[in-house]
Amino acid sequence: AQSVTQLDSQVPVFEEAPVELRCNYSSSVSVYLFWYVQYPNQGLQLLLKYLSGSTLVKGINGFEAEFNKSQTSFHLRKPSVHISDTAEYFCAVRNTGFQKLVFGTGTRLLVSP
Amino acid sequence: GAGVSQSPSNKVTEKGKDVELRCDPISGHTALYWYRQSLGQGLEFLIYFQGNSAPDKSGLPSDRFSAERTGGSVSTLTIQRTQQEDSAVYLCASSHPGQGSYEQYFGPGTRLTVT
């Protein structure tokens, strides 16, 4: 069965500092990879996705992620965070032949001034 | 255009009662999903509808859970004889696989509290 691991449950960072949120997945087949963000009391919003092609994927709000097949990783990065980036971030994976998303447990990003 | 909407936004019910949660997908989206978000289990897939095909019910945790989708649009998730462990946020999402976007658009969720 597929699984997604987000080792960091919480990442504190100062405003304007860079950040990396880690995501590793387990799957023996081709996958699609996603990062979603959830602001307090809101639903999930897609930040970016990897389907195929270039392993570096750029998303909204200045975020990017790199797909590394050999390490089965899809880490999310931002070179300079803002207070407004404070939210919960979820990594998700989907087999190419199936529709359901398998989510990681989430990483809470806390940006302080 | 309008996004995915869910109602009610909050529901408090007594243990043993039945509840119905509603989801209105984005117009034209043929695929609809239900997920559950709880403290102990994170985000879990429950059920998936695609057009007129038989739904994928593989994520439903027990036979107390059921869902239907009428007319290929609105969906209702029903939980019978609710238990305290059913307390969670129930999220609905829709997508249009035919457009190749692969993106699932999520609603704001229904927070269910079983007392």
Side-chain angles (χ1 to χ4, degrees), chain B residues 20-110:
Chain B
E20 287 188 350
L21 312 179
R22 177 187 168 103
C23 172
D24 279 274
I26 293 171
S27 177
H29 281 194
T30 57
L32 186 147
Y33 316 76
W34 284 98
Y35 293 86
R36 178 170 71 173
Q37 185 174 23
S38 58
L39 283 176
Q41 302 296 325
L43 270 157
E44 306 170 275
F45 165 80
L46 296 177
I47 188 169
Y48 158 63
F49 296 90
Q50 171 56 52
N52 295 320
S53 303
D56 175 359
K57 305 179 182 179
S58 60
L60 294 179
S62 77
D63 58 9
R64 296 186 296 105
F65 287 72
S66 62
E68 62 177 21
R69 189 176 185 194
T70 54
S73 182
V74 171
S75 176
T76 302
L77 178 68
T78 301
I79 309 173
Q80 296 178 310
R81 306 181 302 281
T82 51
Q83 303 294 312
Q84 287 187 331
E85 60 263 28
D86 300 333
S87 294
V89 176
Y90 290 81
L91 294 168
C92 177
S94 69
S95 71
H96 197 322
Q99 292 177 348
S101 69
Y102 306 97
E103 176 177 353
Q104 295 182 19
Y105 294 82
F106 284 81
T110 293

Side-chain angles (χ1 to χ4, degrees), chain A residues 10-24:
Chain A
Q10 189 166 293
V11 173
V13 64
F14 288 110
E15 192 174 20
E16 297 183 6
V19 70
E20 178 180 84
L21 305 184
R22 296 179 294 169
C23 172
N24 289 86

Side-chain angles (χ1 to χ4, degrees), chain A residues 51-85:
Chain A
L51 305 180
S52 65
S54 173
T55 57
L56 183 63
V57 179
K58 294 190 182 297
I60 62 171
N61 301 340
F63 284 93
E64 63 180 33
E66 186 155 19
F67 169 59
N68 188 319
K69 187 175 181 179
S70 63
Q71 296 187 2
T72 59
S73 68
F74 191 54
H75 301 331
L76 181 71
R77 303 185 183 100
K78 186 169 183 178
S80 176
V81 295
H82 301 289
I83 297 286
S84 58
D85 293 324

